[in-house]
């Protein structure tokens, strides 16, 4: 997904990374107060999915040989919002399963555990911190979605492909399925 607020989202994400991650826990930030949770709900509700102009993702998702999972580190208080968001954009039927960090644990460890349990073939993320962690804790093929605000040179993993968006990544993974 990308964010409707563009540059504002980037600034907010940088603030979260530098300040908030250390506010409540040694390793990850959990929004503890009602105001913090409200802010997270607002920010996450403004995200919009990548545009699938050619219905490429939808056609892949309709193919019963391919299974897509959402593995999100969103905490339990964002579960309803996440499912409402998927429904709003008509994406609910595209995923075999939506796995949410409903125990509010370490988001990185959650993603790694699910990837390993499900024995996923590939994983796509837009957060290089997540990619760094998963590189060390899984054997999955990783793809880093690099929205326009990040420099692809930041990717220090030569075996992790940098892609423009979800559709670009899927076209690399499934070149024979192109419409």
């Amino acid at each position: 997904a990308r964010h409707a607020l563009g540059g504002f989202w980037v600034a907010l994400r940088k603030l979260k990374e530098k300040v908030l991650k250390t506010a409540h826990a040694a390793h990850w930030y959990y929004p503890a107060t009602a105001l913090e949770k409200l802010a997270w709900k607002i920010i996450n509700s403004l995200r919009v999915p990548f545009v699938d102009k050619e219905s490429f993702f939808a056609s892949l998702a309709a193919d019963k040989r391919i299974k897509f999972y959402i593995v999100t580190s969103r905490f339990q208080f964002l579960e309803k919002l996440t499912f409402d968001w998927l429904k709003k954009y008509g994406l609910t039927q595209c995923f075999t399963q939506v796995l949410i960090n409903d125990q509010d644990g370490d988001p990185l460890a959650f993603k790694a555990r699910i990837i390993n349990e499900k024995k996923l073939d590939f994983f796509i993320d837009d957060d290089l911190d997540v990619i760094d962690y998963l590189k060390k804790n899984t054997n999955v093929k990783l793809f880093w979605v690099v929205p326009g605000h990040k420099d692809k040179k930041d990717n220090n993993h030569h075996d992790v492909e940098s892609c423009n968006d979800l559709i670009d990544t899927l076209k690399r993974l499934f070149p024979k399925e192109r419409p």
Side-chain angles (χ1 to χ4, degrees), residues 6 11 13 21 28 48-49 52 99 103 106 108 111-112 127 130 152-153 160 171 173 178:
R13 186 174 190 151
K21 272 191 172 180
W28 78 92
V48 294
D52 187 9
L99 300 136
Q103 299 298 307
D106 180 333
L108 300 175
K111 284 187 175 186
D127 188 329
V130 172
K152 291 181 183 185
K153 294 176 197 166
V160 174
K171 286 181 177 180
L173 280 163
R178 284 189 141 170

Side-chain angles (χ1 to χ4, degrees), residues 1 10 14 18 21 23 28 34 37 40 46 59 65 70-71 107 143 145 162 168 173 175:
V10 175
K14 286 180 181 177
K18 290 183 179 178
K21 272 191 172 180
W28 78 92
K37 288 179 181 179
W40 274 53
L46 294 173
S59 68
R65 298 171 297 158
I70 290 182
V71 182
F143 292 85
V145 172
S162 299
D168 177 37
L173 280 163

Side-chain angles (χ1 to χ4, degrees), residues 29-73:
Y29 167 73
Y30 179 82
T33 69
L35 183 58
E36 290 170 320
K37 288 179 181 179
L38 176 62
W40 274 53
K41 286 179 180 180
I42 291 169
I43 290 166
N44 282 288
S45 69
L46 294 173
R47 293 189 77 142
V48 294
F50 288 107
V51 178
D52 187 9
K53 293 177 189 172
E54 302 167 357
S55 298
F56 186 68
F57 174 62
S59 68
L60 289 174
D63 184 335
K64 298 303 177 199
R65 298 171 297 158
I66 302 170
K67 294 181 180 181
F68 289 104
Y69 296 86
I70 290 182
V71 182
T72 179
S73 55

